C-alpha cells in the first residue's frame, strides 16, 4: 500500500489556493493515553487543523522542550510501542481523511528497520515522516524507502543554517520543509521572533516546497503573524498544555484541544487580512 504524500501535497496546495497557511498540529502518541491521543488528534483536525503530526515518544527528545518531554514521559511510562504509534496514525487518518505524519528521532526507526518502518507507516495511511536529527548526508537509505512507499521525507532547517546548507537540505526533502523559527527547543513563547520570516525567505529561495514554521506558536495572533509569511503553522506544545491542564478530565481536555484548534485555525485563515 502506498503512503499519502499526494494527499499531503494536495492539502498544502489547497491552503495556498485559499490564500492562507495550513495549520499543522502535533501530539505525541500515547498521550494522555493511546486512545485519548487518538481522540485528541481527531478533535484537532475536526476543530481546525489541516494536518497532524504524531510524535513517536523518545527518552531523549533533544529538540523538544519540557512540555513535550512531560508528555513523552507519560507515554513511555505507560509502555508506548511503535505499533501503538502506527495504530494512532491509522485510526486518526481513517477517522478524518487528513494527512497524518510521524515525527520521530532516527534511532527508533533504525532499530525497527528502515524498510519495515516505511512499509508499515504507509500501510497505516501515513503521509510521511519528519526526522529532525537525521543528517541529509546519512539519509539516502531512508529516502529511498520513503519514496518507494509514497511517503514524504520532511527535514528541519534552523536560523543557523547557511544558504548552501539550506539548498542541500531542501533538495533532499519532500512534502514540505519544517522551519524551526528559533534556536532552541520546542515550547510556547511570547513572541515567535523575526528570525522566522528571514529563515522562510532564505529557504524559499532554494526550493518550491512549502515552508512550514514551528516552535513557539501558541495563540491565534501568533498563528496569524506566522501565516503572513509561511505556508504552514506548526503547533505542538500548546496542544499538550491543554491536555496537561485538564489533569485527567478527558472531556475537558478534548474540548480545550478542539477550541484551541479552532482559534488557531481562525488565525491562519485571517492571513489575507494582514495583506490588505
Amino acid at each position: 500500500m502506498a503512503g499519502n504524500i499526494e494527499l499531503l501535497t494536495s492539502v498544502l496546495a489547497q491552503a495556498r489556493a485559499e490564500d492562507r497557511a495550513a495549520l499543522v498540529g502535533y501530539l505525541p502518541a500515547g498521550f494522555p493515553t493511546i486512545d485519548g491521543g487518538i481522540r485528541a488528534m481527531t478533535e484537532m483536525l475536526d476543530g481546525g487543523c489541516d494536518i497532524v503530526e504524531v510524535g513517536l515518544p523518545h527518552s531523549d527528545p533533544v529538540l523538544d522542550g519540557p512540555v513535550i518531554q512531560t508528555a513523552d514521559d507519560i507515554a513511555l511510562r505507560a509502555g508506548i510501542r511503535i505499533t501503538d504509534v502506527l495504530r494512532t496514525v491509522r485510526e486518526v487518518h481513517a477517522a478524518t481523511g487528513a494527512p497524518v505524519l510521524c515525527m520521530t528521532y532516527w534511532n527508533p526507526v533504525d532499530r525497527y528497520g528502515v524498510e519495515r518502518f516505511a512499509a508499515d507507516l504507509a500501510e497505516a495511511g501515513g503521509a510521511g515522516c519528519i526526522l529532525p536529527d537525521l543528517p541529509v548526508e546519512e539519509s539516502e537509505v531512508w529516502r529511498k524507502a520513503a519514496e518507494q512507499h509514497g511517503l514524504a521525507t520532511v527535514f528541519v532547517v534552523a536560523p543557523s543554517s547557511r544558504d548552501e546548507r539550506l539548498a542541500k537540505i531542501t533538495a533532499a526533502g519532500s512534502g514540505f520543509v519544517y522551519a524551526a523559527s528559533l534556536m532552541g527547543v520546542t515550547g510556547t513563547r511570547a513572541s515567535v521572533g523575526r528570525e522566522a520570516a528571514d529563515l522562510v525567505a532564505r529557504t524559499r529561495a532554494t526550493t518550491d516546497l512549502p515552508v512550514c514554521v514551528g516552535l513557539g506558536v501558541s495563540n491565534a495572533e501568533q498563528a496569524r503573524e506566522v501565516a503572513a509569511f509561511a505556508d504552514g503553522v506548526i503547533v505542538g506544545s500548546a496542544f499538550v498544555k491543554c491536555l496537561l491542564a485538564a489533569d485527567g478530565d478527558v472531556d475537558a481536555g478534548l474540548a480545550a484541544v478542539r477550541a484551541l484548534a479552532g482559534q488557531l485555525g481562525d488565525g491562519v485563515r485571517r492571513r489575507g487580512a494582514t495583506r490588505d
Side-chain angles (χ1 to χ4, degrees):
M1 177 178 176
N4 276 310
I5 186 173
E6 291 184 3
L7 175 63
L8 174 66
T9 300
S10 174
V11 167
L12 288 165
Q14 181 61 35
R16 177 176 288 185
E18 295 171 1
D19 192 30
R20 67 174 180 87
L23 178 60
V24 185
Y26 166 92
L27 276 181
F31 170 75
T33 63
I34 295 168
D35 289 339
I38 291 168
R39 291 179 64 190
M41 292 178 210
T42 301
E43 292 288 345
M44 287 159 60
L45 288 161
D46 288 344
C49 289
D50 300 287
I51 299 162
V52 83
E53 301 172 6
V54 177
L56 196 161
H58 195 276
S59 57
D60 185 25
V62 293
L63 184 70
D64 298 313
V67 173
I68 291 177
Q69 286 182 24
T70 297
D72 276 4
D73 187 59
I74 289 169
L76 289 167
R77 287 176 181 272
I80 186 79
R81 301 179 65 84
I82 289 181
T83 52
D84 301 314
V85 177
L86 294 168
R87 176 193 157 201
T88 299
V89 171
R90 177 180 293 107
E91 295 195 15
V92 172
H93 173 64
T96 64
V100 181
L101 298 104
C102 179
M103 186 167 188
T104 178
Y105 295 96
W106 177 243
N107 180 257
V109 176
D110 192 38
R111 293 187 64 180
Y112 189 83
V114 174
E115 170 65 26
R116 179 186 173 201
F117 188 85
D120 288 355
L121 181 58
E123 190 277 330
C129 209
I130 303 167
L131 297 156
D133 67 338
L134 178 63
V136 171
E137 293 82 1
E138 300 173 19
S139 67
E140 185 177 1
V141 172
W142 165 258
R143 286 188 286 118
K144 285 184 175 179
E147 183 176 4
Q148 179 184 349
H149 291 285
L151 298 170
T153 296
V154 178
F155 288 111
V156 178
V157 298
S160 60
S161 303
R162 299 193 176 191
D163 290 349
E164 57 269 27
R165 182 67 181 167
L166 288 176
K168 188 170 189 176
I169 291 171
T170 58
S174 56
F176 65 90
V177 182
Y178 187 127
S181 66
L182 302 157
M183 297 302 295
V185 297
T186 59
T188 60
R189 291 173 172 84
S191 171
V192 292
R194 294 182 179 179
E195 288 182 319
D198 177 65
L199 177 59
V200 169
R202 291 195 300 118
T203 303
R204 280 186 174 152
T206 72
T207 183
D208 291 328
L209 289 173
V211 183
C212 301
V213 171
L215 305 192
V217 175
S218 61
N219 58 51
E221 187 56 39
Q222 290 176 340
R224 184 172 68 167
E225 178 189 347
V226 174
F229 58 79
D231 299 297
V233 179
I234 303 170
V235 181
S237 295
F239 285 117
V240 173
K241 281 185 174 181
C242 287
L243 295 171
L244 289 173
D247 196 25
D249 186 332
V250 176
D251 290 339
L254 294 175
V257 161
R258 186 183 184 103
L260 178 60
Q263 294 161 14
L264 294 167
D266 287 344
V268 301
R269 287 166 177 82
R270 293 202 310 269
R271 177 171 79 169
T274 66
R275 296 177 168 181
D276 295 338

